[in-house]
């Protein structure tokens, strides 16, 4: 199963906005609004920052926002801060069948990750 | 406190078997779905398995299908990953995650347990 496509790295200065893209296919991102984004600091477990394309869990800064167009999802960090420096992963539900949640064809897939550097 | 704690990792020879455990606390275990996700050293995240709350919906990634089996013990509030036919490429940190019931997003992650496959 191929991973979703993310840029290897994105950088920005404090206060700038940065956007991370995540490209899939019509079998995953383009077919369902089941896109999530995770933040991972070194040596830590990942943390959910966006679910169902554009929703923020309680406690996550409103500097984080998500969107989707066609087969590409995006995570935007507005006014990036030094503590936002981390790896970011997108994830999506993927089905190779027209039957959603068919056990034989349903999977979840991650992107390869994007390292965000705050200059 | 909502928490997942993995255990059972260690060093195993190629072709060997290992069972990972994930103990849940702070929430009603039986009402949630769960995933196993792994991360190889310095690499990205790889989804392995989804275990639905009803116990009847289980998905596996192609890379582990037929070798890994996910199960749970509701009485012990625990999730398990039985791994067999282990290969060098299975060396990774293994995470147990809780499904948020929102678009397959994973809202709680354990701290991870390390599996090393080597002779």
């Amino acid at each position: 199963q191929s991973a979703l496509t993310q840029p290897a790295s994105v950088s920005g200065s404090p206060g700038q906005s940065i956007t991370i893209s995540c490209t899939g296919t019509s079998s995953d991102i383009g077919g369902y609004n089941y896109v999530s984004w995770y933040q991972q600091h070194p040596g830590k477990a990942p943390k959910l920052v966006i679910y169902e394309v554009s929703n923020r869990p309680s406690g996550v800064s409103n500097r984080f926002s998500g969107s989707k167009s066609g087969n590409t999802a995006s995570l935007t960090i507005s006014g990036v801060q030094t503590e936002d420096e981390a790896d970011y992963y997108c994830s999506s539900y993927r089905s190779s069948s027209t039957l959603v949640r068919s056990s034989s064809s349903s999977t979840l897939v991650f992107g390869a990750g994007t390292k965000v550097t705050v200059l | 406190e909502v928490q997942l704690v993995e255990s059972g990792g260690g060093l195993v020879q190629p072709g060997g078997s290992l069972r990972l455990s994930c103990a849940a606390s702070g929430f009603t275990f039986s009402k949630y779905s769960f995933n196993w996700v792994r991360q190889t050293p310095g690499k990205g995240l790889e989804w392995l398995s989804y275990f639905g709350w009803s116990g009847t919906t289980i998905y596996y990634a192609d890379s582990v299908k037929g070798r890994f089996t996910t199960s749970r013990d509701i009485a012990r509030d625990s999730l398990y990953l039985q791994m067999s036919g282990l290969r060098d490429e299975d060396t990774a940190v293994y995470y147990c995650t809780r499904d948020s019931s929102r678009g397959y997003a994973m809202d709680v992650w354990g701290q991870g347990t390390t599996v090393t496959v080597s002779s």
Side-chain angles (χ1 to χ4, degrees), chain B residues 57-110:
Chain B
T57 301
I58 307 174
Y59 310 146
Y60 294 99
D62 287 345
S63 58
V64 303
K65 198 175 294 183
R67 298 190 301 127
F68 291 9
T69 301
T70 300
S71 62
R72 70 177 176 184
D73 184 336
I74 290 176
R76 296 180 183 273
D77 287 349
S78 291
L79 185 77
Y80 304 101
L81 183 67
Q82 178 67 48
M83 305 184 294
S84 61
L86 285 163
R87 308 165 180 165
D88 291 350
E89 56 265 33
D90 294 318
T91 294
V93 174
Y94 285 72
Y95 293 101
C96 167
T97 78
R98 189 181 79 171
D99 181 88
S100 66
S101 303
R102 297 174 178 178
Y104 295 96
M106 305 175 201
D107 63 347
V108 180
W109 292 63

Side-chain angles (χ1 to χ4, degrees), chain B residues 1-2 8 21-22 30 33-34 36 38 48 57 61 66-67 76 85 89 91 99 101-103 111-112 114-115 119:
Chain B
E1 180 190 4
V2 172
S21 300
C22 171
S30 61
S33 303
F34 295 87
W36 286 100
R38 71 185 177 188
L48 301 177
T57 301
R67 298 190 301 127
R76 296 180 183 273
E89 56 265 33
T91 294
D99 181 88
S101 303
R102 297 174 178 178
Q111 85 289 352
T114 300
V115 173
S119 54

Side-chain angles (χ1 to χ4, degrees), chain A residues 6-66:
Chain A
Q6 298 181 234
S9 63
V10 170
S11 62
S13 300
Q16 286 187 329
S17 290
I18 63 171
T19 297
I20 304 168
S21 61
C22 173
T23 301
T25 69
S26 58
S27 295
D28 40 67
I29 292 176
Y32 311 94
N33 288 324
Y34 295 156
V35 178
S36 306
W37 289 91
Y38 301 89
Q39 175 194 63
Q40 186 179 32
H41 287 107
K44 301 292 188 180
K47 171 190 173 184
L48 178 67
V49 294
I50 293 289
Y51 66 93
E52 291 177 334
V53 177
S54 60
N55 296 291
R56 269 189 321 275
S58 174
V60 172
S61 171
N62 59 8
R63 295 182 293 101
F64 292 88
S65 62

Side-chain angles (χ1 to χ4, degrees), chain A residues 100-111:
Chain A
V100 177
R101 300 189 180 85
S102 165
S103 295
S104 63
S105 60
S106 293
T107 62
L108 299 178
V109 61
F110 282 99

